[in-house]
Amino acid sequence: MAMPPDPYATLGLSRDATAEQIRAAYRKLAKQHHPDLNPGNKGAEDRFKAISAAHDLLSDPETRGRSRPRRDRRRRRPGGTRAAALPALRRCRRRRPLPPWPGG
């Protein structure tokens, strides 16, 4: 199954939601869309799978940090755009040659 496009939107939460809010939203939506409560409803089953995948992603703090869009994690200069920060990033990534090994 594919990862949900935005797990926060799937659960109806904002990005600054706490672990308790994530759990409460998951339990409410899971109960509402559970396949046992909606027999024969393919849409409810698909929605339940998406809700479960979003909860799995957001319930673990390590994977929750990775679920943020990449553009939010890029370094930016104050008051500038991402394009303004690119030359600084390129400078940081340059590798310096290693110094000669002592005695050899």
Side-chain angles (χ1 to χ4, degrees), residues 64-83:
R64 184 178 179 189
R66 281 191 252 147
S67 70
R68 304 174 93 195
R70 208 158 184 57
R71 65 179 176 270
D72 290 346
R73 291 186 282 170
R74 288 197 176 134
R75 191 170 75 184
R76 295 178 184 225
R77 290 185 180 173
T81 63
R82 189 179 121 234

Side-chain angles (χ1 to χ4, degrees), residues 3-36:
M3 189 171 97
D6 183 10
Y8 291 98
T10 303
L11 294 177
L13 298 169
S14 64
R15 291 201 172 273
D16 58 349
T18 64
E20 292 81 22
Q21 291 172 332
I22 291 170
R23 182 176 179 266
Y26 166 72
R27 291 176 61 91
K28 177 183 171 189
L29 291 172
K31 187 172 184 178
Q32 181 180 356
H33 296 285
H34 198 280
D36 291 345

Side-chain angles (χ1 to χ4, degrees), residues 84-102:
L86 287 178
L89 288 175
R90 285 190 190 117
R91 265 186 263 120
C92 294
R93 292 183 184 150
R94 288 188 187 150
R95 295 189 126 188
R96 295 182 184 173
L98 294 174
W101 190 261

Side-chain angles (χ1 to χ4, degrees), residues 41-52:
N41 187 347
K42 183 70 173 164
E45 183 179 338
D46 292 340
R47 179 86 171 122
F48 179 76
K49 288 179 182 178
I51 291 166
S52 296

